[in-house]
Amino acid sequence: MSLTDIEKLLSKKIGVDCNIIGSRKIVKAVDNRCSACSLSDLKTYLQLLQTSPEEFTELVEQIVVPETYFFRDRKSFDFLINFGRSQWLTKSSHGTLRLLSVPCSTGEEPYSIAIALMEAGLSPSQFRIDAIDISKQAIAKAQQGIYGKNSFRGEVLVDRNRYFQQTAEKYEICPSVRNTVNLKQGNLLNMFFNVQLKYDVIFCRNLLIYLEDSACTEVLKTLNRLLLPNGLLFVGAAETAKVPSNLFTSIRQPFTAYRKKAEGTISKSLHHPLIENRQVENIRGAKKQNSQTKKVSSETSSISYSLSSTPSLPERLTKHTSFLPTIPNDSETELSLKETQLSIPENSLSLELAKQLADGGQIEAAIKYCNEYLSGVSSTNAQAYTLLGTLYQAKSNYVQAEQFFRKALYLNRNDYEALMHLTLLKEHRGDLVGAFILRERIQKLQQNF
């Protein structure tokens, strides 16, 4: 019973979903801390956790896995570079660009953000990055700013020698980059209650999928409050279905970017059309009547679950600045789904609708149409199973999600998104060996394309 109480305490204080962390990992962490405290029973250790913030912090350190590296999921950084060049620097009075990286882990993400902005042409005095993580150990390493080869296992975006100084077999971040980042230990659930800061850009990647639904809701409300109107939010690839469409609009990005909605308005740029119930009915009617289809503008339709045939390791992950996204001007008119029919084969309509419903946060409806596609059109479509896996992951049904990701990989062993999702699931339920094997597969794919 005490182990369950410990899990409840963890969920209450840091919002973590202990089902995805895994009981084995939590048991091992508790055993380690009990030994370190010379305690023999869980009840006594639970009492210590409830009365000692220091011991609670030590337990959290045992659970947190700082999995990160420089320019992880680099398309987000490509987008940030383009944003800096095409939007921020072109403003007549742009002031200081404020960014937040949370959780920042051991510092690779906020330093990557700083380097990307400098690559875009911003000087260090033109931006400021706040970087927060719940782990004191991770923050301590980020403050050191010294990294081994494992931190550089992603794609090469810049010349390392321009931003790092080599020390023996490692690399130390140079002062010009380090000084742009303000590192701080803290809990996102409670550290911003009375903070009036506002940010232009927030990176909150690969956190939401490990939180309970109530904690996820609170975090998203906090991020929405911290973002300036039309501010940018970056989340992880497995988290798109958790982002509420009433607060954010999706940008055409694979790893994935959102723009905060201005209060009382709908942004006219940088997002796909959200699907309202009446628009769903229009599509159903269009399907029944065999209406002639028209193309949806590539600048406004969602790419998160692209129906078109793409390489299993998309080119967007292996190219460099030539694949920087083009950001439409605010003057471009939003195309609504009511006004524009889908340029897809009629027998694929239910899958495309499922993808757009998923991007709009309508999980149950997306699952319905995805299953309709699998049962009525094609039962061997790997993309459909990857989408289902992401949807069930958003519902916190991790067992079912893993089954669908495995099915997708059975049908297409090089399905990049399924590999990424499955790797993250394995990491956070303690199967580090399985996650390592999958990461090796991902790295081999990167080398082959």
Side-chain angles (χ1 to χ4, degrees):
M1 183 64 181
S2 294
L3 182 61
T4 301
D5 291 334
I6 290 173
E7 291 180 348
K8 289 180 179 178
L9 184 63
L10 286 167
S11 297
K12 179 180 179 181
K13 286 196 171 186
I14 64 175
V16 67
D17 186 338
C18 292
N19 290 320
I20 194 169
I21 295 297
S23 294
R24 284 191 300 174
K25 185 176 181 64
I26 294 175
V27 167
K28 182 178 180 181
V30 170
D31 285 346
N32 288 342
R33 291 310 306 162
C34 282
S35 297
C37 298
S38 300
L39 297 176
S40 58
D41 67 282
L42 292 179
K43 185 175 181 180
T44 304
Y45 182 66
L46 174 60
Q47 292 173 348
L48 178 62
L49 280 179
Q50 293 170 329
T51 57
S52 171
E54 293 78 15
E55 180 54 34
F56 185 83
T57 297
E58 291 296 332
L59 180 61
V60 170
E61 295 288 356
Q62 295 273 323
I63 294 173
V64 173
V65 179
E67 168 58 27
T68 186
Y69 50 89
F70 282 97
F71 300 104
R72 182 181 183 182
D73 303 337
R74 62 156 289 171
K75 194 65 175 180
S76 297
F77 298 101
D78 285 344
F79 187 90
L80 183 64
I81 290 172
N82 196 40
F83 167 79
R85 288 173 179 166
S86 65
Q87 290 204 358
W88 188 258
L89 288 177
T90 57
K91 289 183 178 180
S92 57
S93 58
H94 40 65
T96 300
L97 181 66
R98 296 196 61 90
L99 305 96
L100 174 65
S101 169
V102 56
C104 69
S105 190
T106 47
E108 287 92 331
E109 179 177 271
Y111 291 140
S112 295
I113 293 171
I115 293 171
L117 291 173
M118 293 168 76
E119 286 289 300
L122 278 74
S123 68
S125 63
Q126 290 180 301
F127 64 92
R128 188 65 179 164
I129 303 166
D130 290 332
I132 297 165
D133 199 275
I134 199 169
S135 168
K136 286 186 176 180
Q137 293 179 13
I139 291 294
K141 182 175 180 180
Q143 289 171 336
Q144 289 179 341
I146 299 175
Y147 301 95
K149 63 180 181 179
N150 197 46
S151 293
F152 299 94
R153 63 187 184 272
E155 292 181 83
V156 177
L157 182 65
V158 296
D159 180 2
R160 193 182 306 175
N161 294 321
R162 291 171 57 192
Y163 300 101
F164 295 86
Q165 298 172 348
Q166 190 163 4
T167 59
E169 295 181 354
K170 295 187 176 182
Y171 289 85
E172 182 175 0
I173 198 79
C174 68
S176 62
V177 177
R178 185 199 300 269
N179 293 337
T180 65
V181 178
N182 175 35
L183 294 157
K184 186 176 182 180
Q185 188 271 338
N187 184 349
L188 182 57
L189 284 176
N190 57 33
M191 72 178 298
F192 285 105
F193 281 153
N194 298 315
V195 174
Q196 301 302 317
L197 281 175
K198 294 290 184 180
Y199 294 96
D200 301 280
V201 181
I202 295 178
F203 277 69
C204 183
R205 303 190 301 169
N206 303 314
L207 170 67
L208 303 178
I209 54 174
Y210 306 120
L211 300 180
E212 290 191 326
D213 289 343
S214 58
C216 185
T217 299
E218 289 304 313
V219 165
L220 286 164
K221 286 181 180 178
T222 298
L223 298 179
N224 181 65
R225 179 169 56 83
L226 293 174
L227 266 180
L228 288 166
N230 293 317
L232 293 174
L233 171 66
F234 291 90
V235 299
E239 299 171 318
T240 55
K242 287 183 174 286
V243 180
S245 59
N246 63 316
L247 299 179
F248 303 94
T249 54
S250 177
I251 298 174
R252 188 178 171 83
Q253 285 299 297
F255 281 115
T256 241
Y258 289 81
R259 188 175 288 280
K260 177 180 175 177
K261 288 185 177 180
E263 292 186 11
T265 64
I266 298 177
S267 175
K268 292 185 177 182
S269 66
L270 295 171
H271 67 283
H272 71 83
L274 299 176
I275 302 180
E276 306 294 342
N277 290 335
R278 59 183 176 80
Q279 293 172 326
V280 172
E281 292 301 324
N282 287 337
I283 286 188
R284 290 173 180 166
K287 181 177 179 181
K288 292 177 181 178
Q289 298 170 17
N290 277 327
S291 300
Q292 183 180 5
T293 59
K294 299 179 182 180
K295 290 186 177 180
V296 178
S297 168
S298 62
E299 284 78 16
T300 56
S301 63
S302 173
I303 191 176
S304 296
Y305 304 106
S306 175
L307 181 64
S308 61
S309 177
T310 58
S312 299
L313 180 68
E315 288 185 351
R316 61 180 183 263
L317 298 176
T318 57
K319 300 299 181 183
H320 296 278
T321 54
S322 60
F323 274 75
L324 294 177
T326 300
I327 303 178
N329 297 323
D330 287 341
S331 60
E332 291 184 302
T333 303
E334 175 187 3
L335 296 180
S336 71
L337 197 58
K338 180 178 179 180
E339 297 167 343
T340 311
Q341 298 172 3
L342 299 169
S343 60
I344 56 175
E346 184 177 334
N347 62 2
S348 298
L349 186 61
S350 56
L351 181 58
E352 180 63 22
L353 181 54
K355 294 167 184 176
Q356 296 196 41
L357 286 165
D359 286 339
Q362 301 183 45
I363 306 301
E364 296 299 335
I367 290 174
K368 174 182 179 294
Y369 280 96
C370 200
N371 284 324
E372 179 182 298
Y373 175 84
L374 287 168
S375 61
V377 180
S378 173
S379 62
T380 58
N381 186 303
Q383 291 184 39
Y385 285 107
T386 298
L387 174 56
L388 272 176
T390 305
L391 292 167
Y392 276 95
Q393 194 168 357
K395 286 165 58 69
S396 299
N397 189 336
Y398 306 115
V399 174
Q400 188 72 61
E402 186 166 333
Q403 290 176 354
F404 284 125
F405 291 139
R406 289 183 179 278
K407 180 68 173 178
L409 291 172
Y410 172 78
L411 294 168
N412 178 5
R413 70 182 308 274
N414 293 333
D415 188 308
Y416 181 81
E417 291 190 10
L419 281 169
M420 285 294 296
H421 294 323
L422 191 56
T423 300
L424 291 171
L425 282 176
K426 285 182 175 293
E427 284 174 351
H428 282 265
R429 67 175 170 82
D431 184 5
L432 299 184
V433 174
F436 177 79
I437 293 172
L438 289 175
R439 286 207 173 277
E440 283 192 325
R441 287 175 60 180
I442 292 171
Q443 290 175 0
K444 289 179 179 177
L445 285 177
Q446 292 174 333
Q447 293 170 1
N448 292 336
F449 281 84

